[in-house]
Amino acid sequence: MVAAPAVAQTAQQSVPMPKPAPKGRDGVQMSASERAAATTGSTTTPPDPIIPDPHRNVPANIFATFDANQKAQAAKVSAYLSSLQTLVGNFVQVAPDGSKTTGDFYIQKPGKVRFEYDAPTPVEIIADGSTLAVRDRNLATQDIYPLSQTPLRYLLSDRIDLLKDTNVVSVTSNELYISITIEEKQALIGTSRLMLMVGLKDGQLKQWTVTDPQGYDTTVAVYNLDTSKKVDPGLFKIDFTKYPGSPG
């Protein structure tokens, strides 16, 4: 279930600043090609996802305060996310064990998304506005989750003000990215986190990292983004007859 951790689980741990910076910053180093892709925007070449440092620290204060620059950056990301109505593109996902999978995704706001994984991965993830299904075609099964309990809901909200509508614990930036980390605590599941990364220059979504309550990271980098393509509403239909759902 390559996709379930990234999408259908609450994930987090300590995701303060997995920012990709030049050598020596935050334990992340970027190649020249990665820098070029981040600076110029989407490309037909799949990006190398930026993997957060697994030893990064948890923010010391859950009641984080932000300066004017951080607030402006959060507002910029909020405005960008709120402006999206449809988004189509490709993705590269890195699982906690380091394995990579690729595929296509389709978003129609509010609340609808579909991730189609390339062969041989038999997984599809579909959200219909209120429910999220993680489907395995080989096993003919699907796990069902309330969309409201998955980190994807922040990306799929019609409009969002990150500082007001979520518990933001970190806002960081470098010459390439703005990184915003949201923390979520649920009584039965534990504490999870979602870190969004947007390009500083083009303002486009680059990737997100979900950290589950056990501290495992799943990172999804997106590229070839298209906000003008019409999306077939049928892509977001969850089939409960062919794939009887089991509670998530």
Side-chain angles (χ1 to χ4, degrees):
M1 267 265 183
V2 177
V7 171
Q9 291 183 15
T10 37
Q12 245 150 45
Q13 135 232 94
S14 45
V15 178
M17 16 196 111
K19 16 180 210 191
K23 195 190 291 194
R25 248 174 109 187
D26 301 317
V28 181
Q29 185 171 355
M30 295 189 65
S31 67
S33 61
E34 289 173 316
R35 283 172 175 280
T39 305
T40 57
S42 60
T43 170
T44 53
T45 305
D48 283 330
I50 298 149
I51 307 304
D53 179 356
H55 303 297
R56 60 194 181 275
N57 295 319
V58 182
N61 184 3
I62 60 170
F63 303 105
T65 57
F66 303 106
D67 61 27
N69 183 52
Q70 290 172 309
K71 289 178 180 176
Q73 290 172 335
K76 179 180 179 181
V77 174
S78 298
Y80 164 71
L81 294 176
S82 297
S83 72
L84 296 175
Q85 289 306 307
T86 60
L87 186 64
V88 174
N90 308 113
F91 68 87
V92 180
Q93 178 175 294
V94 181
D97 64 2
S99 60
K100 287 185 180 180
T101 48
T102 58
D104 307 318
F105 75 94
Y106 309 85
I107 288 175
Q108 184 173 30
K109 290 166 61 177
K112 297 177 180 178
V113 72
R114 183 185 184 100
F115 288 86
E116 295 182 346
Y117 287 73
D118 294 334
T121 305
V123 173
E124 293 172 340
I125 294 175
I126 305 167
D128 63 3
S130 60
T131 299
L132 184 139
V134 181
R135 175 184 299 167
D136 187 313
R137 293 188 302 274
N138 287 354
L139 300 177
T141 61
Q142 65 183 1
D143 296 321
I144 302 298
Y145 305 85
L147 182 61
S148 61
Q149 293 181 16
T150 73
L152 269 187
R153 73 181 188 277
Y154 299 122
L155 288 174
L156 302 179
S157 297
D158 196 21
R159 300 194 62 78
I160 191 166
D161 182 329
L162 291 170
L163 288 181
K164 288 183 179 177
D165 301 334
T166 73
N167 181 31
V168 174
V169 294
S170 177
V171 180
T172 61
S173 64
N174 57 26
E175 69 273 23
L176 296 177
Y177 301 97
I178 298 171
S179 302
I180 296 181
T181 300
I182 299 165
E183 184 175 87
E184 188 166 65
K185 294 183 178 179
Q186 295 190 27
L188 297 178
I189 300 174
T191 299
S192 60
R193 293 193 175 187
L194 168 70
M195 188 192 67
L196 300 168
M197 291 177 63
V198 235
L200 184 64
K201 290 187 170 58
D202 65 9
Q204 289 194 4
L205 181 65
K206 300 299 181 185
Q207 70 171 52
W208 62 83
T209 296
V210 173
T211 310
D212 69 18
Q214 288 73 46
Y216 293 108
D217 290 335
T218 302
T219 295
V220 178
V222 294
Y223 65 109
N224 288 340
L225 303 183
D226 188 340
T227 58
S228 61
K229 187 175 289 187
K230 281 203 163 191
V231 183
D232 178 3
L235 289 174
F236 311 112
K237 183 178 180 182
I238 298 175
D239 187 345
F240 292 99
T241 56
K242 184 178 179 182
Y243 300 94
S246 59

